[in-house]
Amino acid sequence: MLALPNTVTRNSIPPGFIDFASSSFDAILFPTPISHDSVNDDIVRKRNTHLPDLIPFIQLITDKCDVQPVHLVLALMYVQRFRKALPAGYKAEPEAAHRIFVASLLVASKYCEDRCLSTKQVVRATGDVWSIKEITRMELAFLRFLHWDLYVSQDEMAKFLHDLGFDIRSILPTATSENS
């Protein structure tokens, strides 16, 4: 488990971090450029119309559920692990990024905090797009892909953020500069 301070301090998400998170989810889930020549690739990438694009979706969830920056980072790190566990030639289905975002964020929050983000909060924030049962299934499938390995050291997080151009102190204000 990530070593977090004993007192819960609510941090705001740094400017630009939602765009960063969205583009990171897309890059992790869709690592190769989209080929506009292939009809099949276009079908795979097409999103159902009842869900917004990923950036507004992430913004909606983070705003309505008071998501902490550290949970977004952990979710991204988990999605990176998830992507590595997928079989070669994996093609994402419509809504995959939305589903994986929700599952990874809930898992990150539940792993880190006693007062975590609840599945019911997410159901309400998304306007009942998925039921509690569906989201629970998404979480369990996600955890199986990760082999239930959720530990992330502060050094791993610092390296992950550094590699992506973010200072860990913007996510964990108690972090020391020697980690960056």
Side-chain angles (χ1 to χ4, degrees), residues 64-85:
K64 286 190 172 189
C65 297
D66 191 28
V67 171
Q68 295 301 292
V70 67
H71 300 151
L72 274 178
V73 173
L74 281 174
L76 284 171
M77 294 178 79
Y78 293 159
V79 169
Q80 193 172 56
R81 291 178 185 178
F82 170 83
R83 180 66 178 123
K84 289 176 184 173

Side-chain angles (χ1 to χ4, degrees), residues 89-154:
Y90 166 79
K91 298 275 188 191
E93 296 177 2
E95 300 180 6
H98 294 75
R99 290 174 177 272
I100 293 167
F101 168 73
V102 166
S104 65
L105 185 63
L106 279 164
V107 167
S109 176
K110 290 175 180 180
Y111 185 71
C112 281
E113 292 193 31
D114 292 333
R115 292 186 56 204
C116 61
L117 180 61
S118 75
T119 306
K120 193 173 191 175
Q121 280 178 286
V122 173
V123 167
R124 287 182 182 151
T126 62
D128 297 316
V129 170
W130 301 293
S131 69
I132 290 174
K133 191 174 187 176
E134 288 173 305
I135 291 177
T136 301
R137 285 183 186 150
M138 293 179 332
E139 285 179 90
L140 288 171
F142 186 77
L143 284 163
R144 277 189 225 106
F145 265 98
L146 296 180
H147 303 286
W148 296 78
D149 178 19
L150 301 178
Y151 177 77
V152 173
S153 71
Q154 192 164 334

Side-chain angles (χ1 to χ4, degrees), residues 2-11 68-70 154-155 157-158 161 167-180:
L2 185 65
L4 296 174
N6 290 336
T7 58
V8 177
T9 306
R10 304 314 269 175
N11 298 319
Q68 295 301 292
V70 67
Q154 192 164 334
D155 288 342
M157 183 180 281
L161 288 168
D167 184 354
I168 191 167
R169 291 170 293 187
S170 67
I171 305 302
L172 288 175
T174 59
T176 61
S177 58
E178 63 188 57
N179 286 336
S180 4

